[in-house]
Amino acid sequence: MTTVIYLPFVLSIVLVGLSRSVCRRTSPRAAAWSVTAAMVLLAASTVGALVLLAWPLAARLPVIAREGGWHPSAVNHVVPVPVPVSILAAVILVVLAGLVIDQALRIRDGVVEVSRMHTELAPAGGAAVAVVQDSRPSAHALPGTLAHRGRVVVSTGLLDALDDEERAAVLAHEHAHLAHAHRLFVVVAALAAALDPVVWWCRHDVEFALERWADEDAASRTGRAVTARALARAALAKLSSVHQMPAPARATALGLARLGVAHRVAALLEPEQQQRRTALAWLVAILALVGIAAILWATRDTERLFELLQRH
């Protein structure tokens, strides 16, 4: 237990080191699925490890010891987890609970904002694409709600900056986000990062993989060169209009580097078969499964410790 239980923490660090390579060098669909799933599994493993490390602290309480059938002092002789480690694990669990609550509130606020935007777009009807009169170039996929289906929102400023082929590529890209429920990947990754802050940076890699996934979807419909051109011209149009944007939108526009526009354009200009590698994605999935196996093994050891406490 003393060795295996720390494995999820080590694997979380390994995932951070691998996720960027996975999301830039493998199939974007496989990368998004594998890194997101790994984040969830390692977050669950990490929380499980913290619980197993913290329980000896509670086991020393007379009330719990009486219910469990052991003497409080027996914990010091049987359980190999030092008291300072148990205290630290308990404190971290409290902090993680706060982070999860904060993230849940952010998600709730996002749902409210999406509902508000759907209400504002109601006069435009239920078309799959809503065009808004705005000279600032923008396009995004507005997720669906219980009362509204998802739609693509694009500004006249962006449409004016692109030709017909490029407009089709941008719309296909945004429709891909809706068709594959990419918003759900973002939400799940955010919750996993709240449970395991070590993998927080993997969120950016997941976002990049989702953009690449949508790029490939658009490329399959409009052509790789057209999609690359549309992506580059849309990015340049956004950057050229930064001075017209309010602060939040300006931050988003200047964050184009985080979404790897240059790398995405380069990937689109590569032969399609080069985007189908999945070996690294499988490696990430295996690491996550090892983390779960480690916690299952540690849980088995913990059950043995309970039996030793009762016998002691």
Side-chain angles (χ1 to χ4, degrees):
M1 176 179 174
T2 54
T3 302
V4 174
I5 199 170
Y6 297 104
L7 193 56
F9 305 107
V10 176
L11 293 176
S12 294
I13 297 173
V14 173
L15 176 62
V16 173
L18 285 177
S19 65
R20 176 172 288 258
S21 295
V22 172
C23 292
R24 292 180 183 269
R25 297 172 56 189
T26 68
S27 161
R29 182 193 296 263
W33 273 105
S34 63
V35 174
T36 304
M39 289 178 68
V40 171
L41 293 177
L42 288 179
S45 301
T46 299
V47 171
L50 290 170
V51 170
L52 293 178
L53 288 171
W55 77 263
L57 197 65
R60 289 178 169 87
L61 297 176
V63 174
I64 294 180
R66 184 166 54 251
E67 291 294 326
W70 60 77
H71 194 278
S73 62
V75 179
N76 297 325
H77 302 287
V78 175
V79 180
V81 180
V83 175
V85 173
S86 291
I87 294 174
L88 179 60
V91 170
I92 292 175
L93 284 172
V94 173
V95 172
L96 293 183
L99 292 176
V100 170
I101 292 173
D102 178 70
Q103 190 59 56
L105 292 176
R106 291 174 183 268
I107 293 172
R108 182 204 62 185
D109 293 342
V111 172
V112 171
E113 177 64 15
V114 167
S115 297
R116 183 191 64 79
M117 294 179 68
H118 275 296
T119 301
E120 291 182 353
L121 292 171
V129 178
V131 179
V132 295
Q133 294 293 327
D134 192 342
S135 61
R136 295 167 298 187
S138 66
H140 65 273
L142 187 62
T145 64
L146 293 177
H148 306 90
R149 68 173 185 171
R151 59 168 62 183
V152 173
V153 181
V154 60
S155 71
T156 53
L158 183 60
L159 294 178
D160 292 340
L162 307 176
D163 62 29
D164 290 341
E165 287 185 328
E166 294 162 354
R167 292 171 188 165
V170 168
L171 295 179
H173 174 100
E174 301 300 339
H175 279 301
H177 283 314
L178 295 175
H180 301 300
H182 286 174
R183 180 62 183 171
L184 185 59
F185 283 82
V186 174
V187 170
V188 170
L191 287 173
L195 284 170
D196 184 4
V198 174
V199 301
W200 187 85
W201 285 105
C202 296
R203 293 177 57 186
H204 299 322
D205 298 325
V206 169
E207 290 174 4
F208 175 81
L210 294 175
E211 294 299 327
R212 283 282 302 113
W213 184 351
D215 290 342
E216 291 296 324
D217 245 40
S220 68
R221 290 168 171 76
T222 62
R224 305 185 70 80
V226 171
T227 303
R229 191 172 71 243
L231 175 59
R233 291 189 64 179
L236 290 173
K238 288 182 180 180
L239 290 176
S240 65
S241 64
V242 164
H243 64 281
Q244 305 175 21
M245 299 180 178
R250 190 182 305 128
T252 300
L254 293 176
L256 288 172
R258 180 171 59 80
L259 295 179
V261 171
H263 287 89
R264 288 162 56 195
V265 171
L268 285 167
L269 296 178
E270 291 179 357
E272 186 176 1
Q273 59 268 21
Q274 293 187 20
Q275 302 303 325
R276 295 178 179 173
R277 297 180 293 249
T278 58
L280 280 174
W282 280 108
L283 175 60
V284 166
I286 292 172
L287 287 177
L289 292 176
V290 170
I292 289 293
I295 288 303
L296 293 176
W297 186 271
T299 302
R300 176 188 173 190
D301 282 354
T302 301
E303 293 174 353
R304 181 177 56 82
L305 290 177
F306 278 126
E307 295 174 357
L308 289 175
L309 279 173
Q310 291 169 340
R311 287 204 298 268
H312 188 87

